[in-house]
Structure formats: C-alpha cells, structure tokens
Amino acid sequence: MNAVLPDIAFYDTVEPLAAAGRTADGSALYPPLPAGAARLRVLVLLDRDVVPAWIAQSLYELAGSGDVELLAAATVGGRVSRPLPWLLETYLRLDRFFAGGMRAVTAPCALAQRLPQLPLPRFGGVASGERLWLDDAARREIRHLAPDLILSFGLPPADASLAVGVPHGIWSFGRHACDPLRAALWLIAPLWYGDVVTHGGLLVHRSDSGRWQLLQECWAASAQLSFARNRAYQLQKVPAQLRRAVRDLALGRMPAQTAAPPFAVPGNWQVPAFGLRLIARALRRHVPRLGLAEHWFLALRRDALALDPGAPTVDGFVRVEAPAGRFWADPCVFRHDGRNYIFVEEYRYAVCRGRIVALELGGDLKPVQTHVVLEAPSHLSYPFVFDWQGEVYMVVESAAARRLDLYRARRFPDDWVPLGEMLSGRAVVDATVHCEDGHWYLFANVADSAFDDGGRILDDLYLFHADSPLGPWRPHPANPLVCDVRHARPAGRLFRHGGRLIRPAQDCSTDYGYAIVFHEVLELSPQRYVERPLGRLAPDWWPGLRGCHTYSVDGDLQALDGKQWLPQMRLKEH
C-alpha cells in the first residue's frame, strides 16, 4: 500500500514567520542566492514512484529551497538486482528492528502524495546490467526539459551519452538507493570495524568524471550496535547535503569532493564473526553502566592565565558539587558589580529536566548563594551571559521548544525579561555569542533535518552575524562551518590566549561531551571564517572521569565541567 511520510518522522509544522531572513520552516541557515543568479533546473530519474522517505524529503526540500526548479521525477522500469549473500541478507532484515524510530528514514513514501504538483512521467529504457539506457523518446523529452543537472536514484550509472547537453551531468546514487534493505550498504563498514566515527556524505557516481565520489563530507558518531541505525543517521542528512551541493552549483562552484571509500560486500563466512563482535561490543558498552547514572560536576580555579589551548593542563582546579538529587553542568562564568557568578544548567534527576541557576561564589570558590534564573516545562541548558551597552543579556538553549530566545536582566541575577527569538523553528544547541570588530556573531549547532533523531545535534556548526545582539541574525555564507562530530559543537565562550582568538569545541565522537578541543580563529568576518586546530583536553584530569564538555573564563575565574557514571542510589535527593 502506498504511504505518505509517517507523522512520527518529522518535527511539528511551524507556521510561516514574517520576520526578515526567515522561512516557513524556520530561520534561514544559508544566505539567499545573489540577485540575478539563475535557479538550477533539475530532473530526477527513479526506479519506482514509491521511494524511501529520505529520498522523498530530499526532493521536497529541493523543490522548496528557492535555489532549484525541479522539473520532473521520471520513473524508469526494468530493475534487476543480484542476490546478497543469504546470511548477510538475514542479518540486514533482523537488524532493521534495532533502528527504532529511525526506521522512519527509510519508510515508503508515494511521491504523488508528497509532491502532488511535480510531474511524474514514465521513461522507456533498461536499467539492467551496469548501465542505464533510455529509449529515443525519453532522450527527446530530456532534451526538451533542458535540465542543468540530473539526479538518479535506484538506477545504475547512466550511459555517458545521456549526459550530453546537461551542463552538470548526472549524479547517480546507485542502483540500490531505493531499496530499504540494501541502500547505502557501504555504511556497514564503520560498524563492521568498530569505528568511533562514520565518514559519510553524498556517495554519487558523477558522469563528468566517470567515478564514484563523496560530496559534502561529514563525520558523525557511529551507532555501535546497529547498521540500520547508523545508516539512518547518515541518510537523514542527505536532504540538507543535497541542497547544499546543488546550491554550490547554482553559485558557480563545484561541491567539495573526495574519492569514494573502498567497499566490498561481506560474504557469508564473515557474518558470524561480525555477529559475535556485536554481542561482545554490546556487553562492553552496557554492562559496566548497569545501576549507574550520568553525573556532572564543576571544577573551578582562579588564574590570570587561561588554559593553554595548544597544551591544556588542569592544575589547581577545585571540585564543586550540586546538592543531592541534581547536577551542575554547562558553566558560564560572569563577573558583575565586583562579584563572581557562574550560570549553570541544574539538572534534577526527579523530574529529568534542566533549569538555569546562578551560583554566587565566595572567596573559596564555593557557592554562597544559589539563584533560580529560569525554569520552563521543557529542558533548559547552556546559559550564555554577556553584557552590552550597560545591560546584561542571556541566551539559553531550549532545543526541545525549537527556538532560541534572548533575555535581558531586569534584576540581576534572577529576574529576566524575554526580548524575542534570535532563531526560530529549529532545534538549536549551545548557542555562543561573540563580538569582534563591531560585528556580532552567533555560533551554534542546528538540526538541519526533518527527521527526529532523538537530539543528535552534534555534527554541524553554523554561524550567524548581526549588527547588534538584538538582531536580525543573518546566516553566514560559509555555513555550515564544520561538519564533524569531533569539533563542531561549541564548548563555551570564545577567549583570547597570547593574542590569539580561541574557539572551544566539544569532541562528541566517543560519547556525548567526551572531550574539549581548542581552535584558533584565523579569520572572522561577515564574509569569511577560517580556523585551525590547536590542542585537546581529554577526560583524564580527574579519577573516574568520562567526559568534559565546557570551558568558561572571565578575568581570572575559570570553570570546567566533568562527567562521571555514579550509582543511582547515591544521586537520589535525600
């Protein structure tokens, strides 16, 4: 039965917004095409008209991007597939159940329902063997449509003659792209070898080069126990990656590319050993955590010199714990009227939700007073406090509400007035504000996916700029700055060390908030952004440490947070 995209697969619909720079689905992540730039004319070839959701969503977003004129999605019949090794196919069928809610990424979707205005013709041709051949009538129709680019899903690479007269040629996603079992089988390799990070992107065969290439590279944390889940984490990115790649073509530049990774389909004799490795991996991963809960604490020190970003060492820090039944994380140091404060996320285990509190510190770096700053029905975290024109402002992460709000202190530190949305209609995490040369910048990780992946907003760093912190915030032309789980997510305020501007970031590859990495910002302007890596603070500076993900400094006061796994009974509120 033909099906539309499942409701559970997508975030709730957002009403159109009137503010400049925003679209019906949320704040813009990319600048509009320059005036006079022509939209790219794109034709799509498919082996069926009911396709996986990730393909349907890719076409839906292309059609609505403003950068593309989607001409038609033509179906070519005659698909023939070689059988997979039977043990491998058995594993793939069983493993689908471990994808959980991420099965929505490969769920069937009828294009006629998802894109009712898009022409869906049928082209005559043959899709067997190693090449796609189209009959004369189909070729005449392609010449009539005059596409700038042809995208091919579920079909073998096309005969080279088909790309004649198509300026950007044909990008083929492979003959199994529409197969919910076999699609992107090359992504089994990271799971097979136990790689912490999956090297992904758009794996396409380009007719102009005659080779398979990887476009829009990204590095994401691997799902360690399920191929179906790991594949879904990658395929959910394809709509955004494809929009960016096509946008590059519209701007007159070729998308960044690299050679396709080598891959061979595993044989029957390899599957049993792989299954045993998965079982052992699951035991190593989950058994040590039985009866334990994640717990964060603060580490503070006074030192006029910030951490050396090239070789960070943690000396002289004092551990500070939250009261029983809660933890403190995401510290933001702020000095006000001669007093030292640290704004933190206070997570209470009883309600499984964070709120924002301000800790006023004494001379011994122990909190002398705790102020509840902000509380909401949804989770709040990563407070970022700054001053401007004699007023104090705060940005708070509220990704569950799919908005990023700006607050002003009416009475510091515990009475704040909302000023409005900085970004709306999107899940935004760890928003970090910085002022440089009179320009204001906002660094944040943003979910650029219609699929709900449970909050894995770890991989893509976006930058916005404005004339003041009141906005309007405009997307930076270099977006996304980083597509790498090892150093994308912000980890605290930008700071200076030895005259260099330093951006702290999280390494979330091994685990969420595993380590802090430091980058020197070499160029920062409304037009350009360049950085280079300097050093890394691993979670080895406290016994039993399992992670550290925020570093904040203001004057001589510095703060870190650290993660441990502690018995659940010890964390209950007494």
Side-chain angles (χ1 to χ4, degrees), residues 359-370:
L359 313 176
E360 185 177 345
L361 302 180
D364 59 354
L365 297 182
K366 299 294 184 182
V368 296
Q369 193 168 0
T370 300

Side-chain angles (χ1 to χ4, degrees), residues 16 30 35 53 134 155 194 218 220 234 319 425 471 499 501 504 509 527 531 543:
Y30 314 96
L134 296 184
L155 300 164
C218 68
Q234 294 295 320
R319 179 166 176 155
L501 181 61
S509 57
Q527 294 77 37
E531 68 179 19

Side-chain angles (χ1 to χ4, degrees), residues 154-335:
L155 300 164
D159 172 60
S161 65
L162 191 61
V164 173
V166 181
H168 297 293
I170 303 172
W171 292 359
S172 171
F173 286 77
R175 65 182 310 124
H176 302 303
C178 298
D179 187 329
L181 199 67
R182 300 184 179 201
L185 192 56
W186 63 280
L187 288 170
I188 200 172
L191 185 75
W192 199 272
Y193 297 110
D195 296 340
V196 172
V197 174
T198 293
H199 182 195
L202 300 177
L203 184 63
V204 299
H205 182 279
R206 288 179 46 214
S207 62
D208 53 353
S209 69
R211 297 192 302 271
W212 288 93
Q213 293 180 314
L214 195 63
L215 311 182
Q216 297 291 320
E217 286 182 287
C218 68
W219 289 263
S222 300
Q224 291 292 310
L225 302 178
S226 167
F227 162 68
R229 180 175 289 273
N230 195 54
R231 177 182 63 177
Y233 285 147
Q234 294 295 320
L235 293 182
Q236 70 155 346
K237 296 173 178 289
V238 169
Q241 291 167 340
L242 186 54
R243 274 191 288 115
R244 294 199 292 261
V246 173
R247 174 184 170 82
D248 281 343
L249 293 181
L251 290 170
R253 62 194 184 210
M254 185 61 203
Q257 57 192 286
T258 187
F263 172 72
V265 176
N268 282 325
W269 63 276
Q270 295 172 292
V271 175
F274 172 57
L276 292 176
R277 287 203 302 274
L278 286 182
I279 293 172
R281 196 179 299 165
L283 293 175
R284 288 196 305 269
R285 187 175 181 86
H286 293 293
V287 170
R289 297 185 181 185
L290 293 177
L292 303 180
E294 184 179 275
H295 180 74
W296 290 85
F297 64 90
L298 303 182
L300 312 178
R301 80 171 179 186
R302 292 188 185 277
D303 194 323
L305 187 62
L307 284 181
D308 181 353
T313 58
V314 178
D315 299 313
F317 277 78
V318 177
R319 179 166 176 155
V320 176
E321 282 280 4
R326 60 197 72 186
F327 69 62
W328 288 335
D330 293 345
C332 180
V333 177
F334 189 75
R335 187 169 178 82

Side-chain angles (χ1 to χ4, degrees), residues 441-497:
Y441 298 94
L442 173 64
F443 296 80
N445 276 48
V446 184
D448 190 11
S449 173
F451 297 96
D452 185 354
D453 62 2
R456 282 172 56 102
I457 314 172
L458 308 170
D459 308 340
D460 301 321
L461 177 66
Y462 289 84
L463 179 60
F464 305 85
H465 61 96
D467 297 327
S468 85
L470 303 181
W473 291 94
R474 299 176 290 274
H476 196 277
N479 279 344
L481 304 184
V482 178
C483 297
D484 192 331
V485 70
R486 296 168 295 187
H487 60 99
R489 191 158 172 163
R493 190 192 312 274
L494 278 71
F495 65 95
R496 295 195 180 273
H497 185 278

